Amino acid sequence: DAGITQSPRHKVTETGTPVTLRCHQTENHRYMYWYRQDPGHGLRLIHYSYGVKDTDKGEVSDGYSVSRSKTEDFLLTLESATSSQTSVYFCAITPAGLSGNTIYFGEGSWLTVV
Amino acid sequence: RKEVEQDPGPFNVPEGATVAFNCTYSNSASQSFFWYRQDCRKEPKLLMSVYSSGNEDGRFTAQLNRASQYISLLIRDSKLSDSATYLCVVKAGNQFYFGTGTSLTVIP
């Protein structure tokens, strides 16, 4: 158990509405990540954080923003949800930072945009 | 070209069979390699790391061929509980790259 919780676990929202997904960790890990997983694409990095208020873009960051105001929480916001953002979103941590060899995932947040 | 490529399967094998999955990666500077297991509607979980010398964990054996940029996973004596999707994961620099997964179903 990597001590990661995601909320909400399931959400249905309408196109054009903002949505925020929360990732909470209890073990003071410095590095946190948001991925999305879609059929045929595998896991793709949206944004990651390497400390409080330190974030960077990943491969598929368009339409997403993140914030990390405290170590334990990493928020992913879809500013204006589109149907192409229907996906499952996984938060992840690497225990030893970027030098850490393993990555651990939260249970996922299933988002449907209608 | 994708960073990590896997045969998506599906592989349908009888209980007790031996099954092998392969994965290729494109970045020769990749330094760490893993197999993850993902059950339906669950998060990926680390199955095992892959070392250059090859490594074994019970019924699971992983091999790495850096020259060919190729990773394999062998499962012996398949169990029903092995049914899942197996993800090949490669770390290059500060980034993790994920294959799309190989689906395995073990049939009674």
Side-chain angles (χ1 to χ4, degrees):
Chain A
D1 183 1
I4 306 168
T5 55
Q6 294 184 225
S7 60
R9 294 290 317 283
H10 301 273
K11 186 173 182 66
V12 179
T13 193
E14 293 186 348
T15 298
T17 60
V19 176
T20 296
L21 306 179
R22 179 183 182 234
C23 178
H24 179 77
Q25 54 119 341
T26 59
E27 300 182 15
N28 209 36
H29 299 299
R30 182 178 170 196
Y31 290 87
M32 301 181 74
Y33 309 80
W34 277 107
Y35 288 88
R36 62 178 289 176
Q37 187 177 34
D38 304 287
H41 289 280
L43 284 148
R44 293 181 291 174
L45 181 64
I46 305 171
H47 282 278
Y48 68 98
S49 170
Y50 45 96
V52 173
K53 297 186 180 178
D54 292 324
T55 65
D56 207 349
K57 295 180 179 180
E59 177 188 357
V60 290
S61 61
D62 287 349
Y64 302 94
S65 62
V66 289
S67 67
R68 192 156 176 213
S69 58
K70 44 186 179 176
T71 300
E72 57 266 37
D73 289 327
F74 190 32
L75 304 180
L76 177 70
T77 297
L78 288 65
E79 292 139 10
S80 177
T82 67
S83 58
S84 65
Q85 293 176 311
T86 292
S87 187
V88 56
Y89 292 85
F90 289 104
C91 178
I93 57 96
T94 50
L98 288 177
S99 63
N101 268 345
T102 46
I103 187 165
Y104 296 94
F105 294 91
E107 294 180 314
S109 294
W110 272 257
L111 177 67
T112 301
V113 183
V114 298
Chain B
R1 183 184 175 189
K2 291 183 178 178
E3 294 279 348
V4 178
E5 302 218 41
Q6 294 181 249
D7 179 350
F11 285 69
N12 300 311
V13 302
E15 268 186 295
T18 295
V19 61
F21 304 139
N22 303 318
C23 166
T24 58
Y25 60 95
S26 60
N27 188 342
S28 59
S30 300
Q31 72 265 42
S32 302
F33 309 89
F34 313 91
W35 284 101
Y36 276 68
R37 172 192 169 127
Q38 186 172 23
D39 293 296
C40 186
R41 298 190 65 79
K42 299 288 187 180
E43 74 274 26
K45 292 184 178 179
L46 178 66
L47 178 67
M48 60 196 301
S49 300
V50 187
Y51 303 115
S52 296
S53 55
N55 49 298
E56 187 175 307
D57 183 1
R59 298 181 293 108
F60 299 84
T61 300
Q63 297 278 354
L64 168 64
N65 183 322
R66 285 188 183 269
S68 302
Q69 296 181 198
Y70 169 93
I71 306 162
S72 66
L73 177 68
L74 183 76
I75 305 175
R76 292 182 300 278
D77 188 22
S78 297
K79 311 292 185 190
L80 296 177
S81 58
D82 293 334
S83 297
T85 297
Y86 291 84
L87 306 180
C88 177
V89 181
V90 172
K91 187 181 181 189
N94 298 327
Q95 297 292 325
F96 291 86
Y97 299 96
F98 299 84
T100 54
T102 300
S103 174
L104 172 66
T105 300
V106 181
I107 304 163

